[in-house]
Amino acid sequence: MLLSFVLTNCKVATVNKQETMMRKPLKIEKIEERETFSFNELKTIPIASVCDTGLKFEKLKKCVSKSIIMHINRKFNAGLAAELPPKKYTIIVNFVINKSGEIVNIESSGSGFTKLDNEATRAINLLPIFTPGMIDNKTVNTRYSLPISFNIQ
């Protein structure tokens, strides 16, 4: 599933220095492509802890998407944008929610600025553990692709 949001007038950091410094080790797992499924292929999607598991499927998808976007809005240091010339920037973040619900194999690119790409990786890496996606009552690895767009004015 593709998610996006736009930040405008990002001249002031939205994250305090202590949060910006928060790091946890990136987790890399060797996962075969045939062992991963896209969000749209699943009938039981990964679920964020803030979402009610009793929701109907479409509402649950919206809740999970909204929770990821809200997390990025809270954790992404938009103050980095103050160093950039005015224009639209897009970072593409790819990651996997593994069979244990952890965020692994995060890759960010496309902004043209390493600091922005690294910040996107940092923010996604801080996502909490999900209830993993399932197919035929077996947990599966779920891949995500998330564009993050900034319109610096």
Side-chain angles (χ1 to χ4, degrees), residues 32-47:
E32 297 289 330
E33 183 64 28
R34 61 182 162 72
E35 295 176 350
T36 63
F37 299 87
S38 74
F39 191 75
N40 293 326
E41 291 178 280
L42 304 178
K43 293 197 179 191
T44 305
I45 61 171
I47 302 171

Side-chain angles (χ1 to χ4, degrees), residues 35 85 100 102 141:
E35 295 176 350
S100 301
E102 299 170 301
N141 299 305

Side-chain angles (χ1 to χ4, degrees), residues 33-87:
E33 183 64 28
R34 61 182 162 72
E35 295 176 350
T36 63
F37 299 87
S38 74
F39 191 75
N40 293 326
E41 291 178 280
L42 304 178
K43 293 197 179 191
T44 305
I45 61 171
I47 302 171
S49 61
V50 297
C51 297
D52 179 4
T53 55
L55 292 172
K56 299 226 184 249
F57 186 72
E58 287 304 315
K59 286 191 178 195
L60 188 56
K61 280 174 57 174
K62 285 180 184 176
C63 179
V64 170
S65 297
K66 183 177 178 182
S67 72
I68 292 171
I69 290 169
M70 288 174 52
H71 170 85
I72 293 169
N73 278 327
R74 284 190 314 272
K75 300 298 183 183
F76 194 96
N77 181 4
L80 293 173
E83 303 171 19
L84 304 175
K87 77 172 215 170

Side-chain angles (χ1 to χ4, degrees), residues 69-138:
I69 290 169
M70 288 174 52
H71 170 85
I72 293 169
N73 278 327
R74 284 190 314 272
K75 300 298 183 183
F76 194 96
N77 181 4
L80 293 173
E83 303 171 19
L84 304 175
K87 77 172 215 170
K88 183 175 180 177
Y89 297 90
T90 300
I91 306 165
I92 304 298
V93 185
N94 295 297
F95 60 96
V96 173
I97 298 174
N98 71 9
K99 294 177 183 180
S100 301
E102 299 170 301
I103 306 300
V104 300
N105 302 356
I106 305 167
E107 297 175 353
S108 300
S109 63
S111 73
F113 291 88
T114 303
K115 281 184 180 180
L116 280 181
D117 295 340
N118 289 344
E119 180 59 15
T121 297
R122 186 195 70 80
I124 292 295
N125 195 45
L126 293 173
L127 279 165
I129 291 179
F130 284 66
T131 300
M134 299 181 83
I135 293 179
D136 297 329
N137 291 322
K138 293 182 183 177

